Amino acid sequence: GAGVSQSPSNKVTEKGKDVELRCDPISGHTALYWYRQSLGQGLEFLIYFQGNSAPDKSGLPSDRFSAERTGGSVSTLTIQRTQQEDSAVYLCASSLRTGGGYEQYFGPGTRLTVT
Amino acid sequence: GIQVEQSPPDLILQEGANSTLRCNFSDSVNNLQWFHQNPWGQLINLFYIPSGTKQNGRLSATTVATERYSLLYISSSQTTDSGVYFCAVERVGSGGGADGLTFGKGTHLIIQP
């Protein structure tokens, strides 16, 4: 079946602009995760959703970052007033559910470049 | 938070050689995954192995949860095995929530023809 998909694959934006990144999880997966990969920080966890709920937003790097999920499926990660340090690859993953150590499957990522 | 250490950081081998990659972690886990990141950045699932031993072709993995380490074995290496191998863990949760996966820094493997 189809894997996790993300769009756009690449995004170049000017400092100060807002961007939206989209993730479409594997059908039937109720858990969805956002990560980012940068040269300086490696792979870091940002936020997860169980259904449409995100119980813990403490992993988001700043209050310019927000995420939502609707209908228990597609999720968007929004970065407001982008800064150069936001440049990274943003990865989305999904699993059957959270809380029990379920295998996560990753999408191809969105490469964000802030100029 | 949980710490994940991978070794070696870099490994250069000739085609046909065998290799062992190690992952140490600092707390009890209910999820441990090995990934291969291909040149396009895609994370390819190799093993989901919070405990025990699994094999898939030339690759195998063992996790000793009580001693908090996991090993990934690659036999008869091919040039297509080159890339970065990541170990990632999810610690035993607090109240059913999720901390997400914590990744090690990876092992950069180069297989020379």
Side-chain angles (χ1 to χ4, degrees):
Chain A
V4 178
S5 60
Q6 293 186 244
S7 61
S9 54
N10 281 286
K11 177 72 176 178
V12 180
T13 190
E14 291 180 355
K15 178 181 170 181
K17 301 280 191 185
D18 297 353
V19 295
E20 273 193 3
L21 313 180
R22 175 188 168 108
C23 172
D24 205 337
I26 292 171
S27 176
H29 281 193
T30 62
L32 185 148
Y33 309 79
W34 284 98
Y35 297 81
R36 77 175 175 181
Q37 185 173 25
S38 57
L39 281 175
Q41 300 297 322
L43 271 151
E44 56 178 333
F45 167 68
L46 300 180
I47 191 170
Y48 82 93
F49 289 87
Q50 180 58 47
N52 293 331
S53 172
D56 182 1
K57 297 179 170 64
S58 63
L60 294 175
S62 78
D63 58 8
R64 296 183 294 103
F65 286 70
S66 63
E68 67 173 15
R69 189 181 186 193
T70 54
S73 181
V74 171
S75 175
T76 55
L77 178 70
T78 301
I79 310 172
Q80 295 180 310
R81 305 181 304 282
T82 51
Q83 303 295 311
Q84 288 187 331
E85 63 261 28
D86 300 332
S87 295
V89 177
Y90 290 82
L91 294 161
C92 175
S94 71
S95 67
L96 277 174
R97 55 168 295 166
T98 62
Y102 292 86
E103 186 172 6
Q104 295 186 27
Y105 298 85
F106 282 76
T110 293
R111 182 175 298 276
L112 175 66
T113 304
V114 182
T115 61
Chain B
I2 193 167
Q3 306 300 312
V4 181
E5 293 184 2
Q6 290 188 244
S7 60
D10 300 282
L11 187 58
I12 301 174
L13 297 171
Q14 293 298 120
E15 203 167 19
N18 301 329
S19 58
T20 301
L21 282 57
R22 187 176 179 104
C23 172
N24 293 334
F25 46 95
S26 62
D27 204 345
S28 299
V29 299
N30 58 12
N31 182 1
L32 188 146
Q33 293 183 240
W34 283 98
F35 297 92
H36 177 208
Q37 189 164 43
N38 67 20
W40 297 272
Q42 174 79 53
L43 285 170
I44 308 297
N45 288 41
L46 296 178
F47 293 102
Y48 167 75
I49 188 166
S51 64
T53 297
K54 291 185 177 180
Q55 179 158 9
N56 184 3
R58 296 182 295 104
L59 274 60
S60 63
T62 295
T63 298
V64 183
T66 53
E67 297 188 22
R68 298 182 182 167
Y69 73 89
S70 183
L71 301 173
L72 176 69
Y73 304 97
I74 305 173
S75 65
S76 304
S77 300
Q78 300 175 359
T79 55
T80 51
D81 295 331
S82 296
V84 183
Y85 290 79
F86 288 102
C87 168
V89 304
E90 182 177 7
R91 70 180 179 94
V92 175
S94 44
D99 293 330
L101 290 171
T102 299
F103 283 77
K105 294 187 186 302
T107 292
H108 187 196
L109 176 65
I110 297 173
I111 305 298
Q112 296 178 332

